[in-house]
Amino acid sequence: MADSLEDQSLPQQRVTSEYLPVQNSSQSIWQQEAAELAAWNPTSPIPQEADVVIIGAGYAGVATAYHLLKKIDESGGAQKRLSISIFDARGPCSGATGRNGGHLRPDLYGRIPTHMARSGVAAGSEIAAFEIANLRAIEKVIEEENIDCDLKLARVTDVWCNPEAAQRAKANYDVMVNLNLDYMKDVCFNMGEEAEEISGVKGARACASYTAGQLSAYKFIVSLLKSMVDAGRVDAHSHTPVTEILPAKEGGFLVKTPSGTVFARQVVHASNGYVAGLLPEYSRNIIPCKGVCCHIDVPQGAQRPPSLPGSYINRASDHMLSYLISRDNGSIVVGGKASMLTSRREQWYHNVDDGADIDGAKGFYSDYMQKTYRGWEESQAEITKIWTGVMGYSFDTNPHVGVVPGRPGQFILAGFNGHGMPVIFLAAQGLAALILSDETLTCHDVGVPRLFQTSRARIEVAQQYAEEDGDILGTGRAFSQATHSC
């Protein structure tokens, strides 16, 4: 059993090179298409002080700043104006936010039965409801702020090709339906020949569909940040990594960067897979892992195959999952295949080099559409761009949100397991409420699922397991054993 964090001094907050983003990163299709936003590279003189310093200019950091400002505005002057500074080691959305697969997909029943088995029906079902609410909240803010980010609401289709996996999926679906959860009314489940006919996926044994969304997270978040900076309400600093955080004698923190030191009254850690660089106690809880994504299109002049109706999660076999969206122009964005990468562990596990490919990834997806979808056999579809991105995988599969244990005045919003799009926006709203109020409040007090609350207990559970038990493929088994009685 690891020593309690209360019984030892917390480690120093000084970043090491293993947690600093590389500068020669690959470029995603989202960054390539939004050239006018990519050219916007915010910078300004380092302030001497700030009420809130946010580390990370991706989805989590920008959403937190947005909600802080919204809450101040909604208070009608009851809360003082905040000075907010955002620092990023590269630039806005240069990390996972600008490299994802474009999904905005609540998980209504896939992981939810596992959460229910571990922690009870109420705790599990509130995550599904939270993710649905997140989808609607993002739709609303995009409309209110008039952001062009290719948002589209459509059905997502989950597909299982393995017969045993299809039966397990049906059993999970039946459990959720029998619980009389309202959101399950939106789910349509089909098995047998109907599954292949409805999904268009060759060899499908089961499929389920429900309402989800897709968008360019890069356009969404960079546009949101740019509007706050242009309004003079946030200052943002590209190519300015935070290298050290020290307690200030008068309270608050000295936040050190290569460009100078800022006095901050509060600090938000929103760098996801890189967060353990400044919070070493999370090194076994949130691990940087690389994923692969690519853009597929039909060559100019070739006959277009049948358009796909929305987005997909395809499971060719157990642990062989690919996620896919069909864009309005007929092109495809697809990624995943984690099990294909298992034998190349050093290329993806605890690896922050998103400038390097993972061996075999391009070869796998080179004829993916022809192999997988009916009507695409003669399409000549080919990869036009492939890239990698660094995600933050949490030991127990839940994000960490709240006050950093043992570090009052510092907050965390990280560890999204490649599933941040339907979680982060409202989690940031809850975190903003914590920052502006009494730090004794919990996630549940501010509308965030209770299982997302960061805690000493969660940190210590991860620290009990050996490296081979705590990697991403072993996490589920190890954590299931640790929480079997829950």
Side-chain angles (χ1 to χ4, degrees), residues 40-119:
W40 181 75
N41 202 3
T43 186
S44 58
I46 298 295
Q48 289 187 333
E49 62 180 82
D51 291 313
V52 181
V53 161
I54 298 174
I55 303 168
Y59 189 1
V62 172
T64 299
Y66 174 80
H67 285 298
L68 284 170
L69 296 178
K70 288 288 286 185
K71 288 186 177 298
I72 290 170
D73 292 344
E74 291 166 358
S75 72
Q79 292 174 317
K80 69 180 183 69
R81 184 179 177 89
L82 280 186
S83 58
I84 302 173
S85 294
I86 302 178
F87 294 91
D88 199 281
R90 292 189 297 208
C93 291
S94 58
T97 304
R99 300 168 182 277
N100 66 21
H103 276 263
L104 181 51
R105 170 188 172 271
D107 187 353
L108 300 192
Y109 63 90
R111 297 174 298 115
I112 302 305
T114 301
H115 290 309
M116 290 179 175
R118 290 176 181 173
S119 307

Side-chain angles (χ1 to χ4, degrees), residues 43-47 87 237-241 243 255-262:
T43 186
S44 58
I46 298 295
F87 294 91
H237 307 272
S238 292
H239 305 292
T240 312
T243 56
V255 178
K256 294 192 172 185
T257 79
S259 301
T261 298
V262 183

Side-chain angles (χ1 to χ4, degrees), residues 153-166:
L153 297 186
R155 304 288 285 183
V156 60
T157 302
D158 283 17
V159 179
W160 294 264
C161 295
N162 177 284
E164 291 77 19

Side-chain angles (χ1 to χ4, degrees), residues 167-179:
Q167 291 294 337
R168 290 195 298 270
K170 181 60 164 61
N172 279 345
Y173 169 77
D174 290 341
V175 167
M176 300 297 287
V177 169
N178 290 335
L179 290 172

